[in-house]
């Protein structure tokens, strides 16, 4: 199995919100605004149903730093 749901707990490492990006095999599937570092980390849920066996899922900042606290992937049944 490969298609599923990604949950990422994240917060910006700076004084402003920063975009948390998620891509499947190089195609962006989400751009989410993280809270600034004075806020509370937020859990983001991303639909990764375009993933297939062997897909690479990328989690990255669209603008400087983001702190990740947890990553959880659940396969779709």
């Amino acid at each position: 199995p490969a298609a599923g749901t990604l949950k990422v707990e994240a917060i910006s490492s700076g004084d402003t919100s920063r975009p948390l990006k998620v891509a499947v095999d190089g195609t962006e599937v989400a751009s989410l605004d993280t809270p600034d570092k004075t806020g509370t980390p937020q859990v983001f849920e991303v639909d990764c149903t375009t993933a297939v066996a062997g897909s690479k899922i990328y989690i990255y900042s669209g603008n400087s730093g983001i702190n990740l606290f947890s990553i959880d992937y659940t396969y779709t049944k």
Side-chain angles (χ1 to χ4, degrees), residues 27-39:
T27 300
E28 187 177 301
V29 295
S31 180
L32 309 155
D33 288 326
T34 61
D36 67 49
K37 70 179 181 182
T38 63

Side-chain angles (χ1 to χ4, degrees), residues 35-77:
D36 67 49
K37 70 179 181 182
T38 63
T40 301
Q42 184 174 348
V43 176
F44 298 94
E45 190 169 306
V46 180
D47 179 356
C48 292
T49 55
T50 60
V52 296
S55 285
K56 292 183 180 175
I57 297 175
Y58 302 89
I59 304 166
Y60 58 99
S61 173
N63 179 17
S64 196
I66 289 181
N67 296 319
L68 300 179
F69 296 100
S70 67
I71 300 169
D72 180 52
Y73 192 81
T74 304
Y75 292 113
T76 305
K77 300 200 187 244

Side-chain angles (χ1 to χ4, degrees), residues 9-23:
E9 184 177 10
I11 193 168
S12 170
S13 62
D15 294 328
T16 60
S17 174
R18 294 184 175 151
L20 170 69
K21 306 275 189 165
V22 178

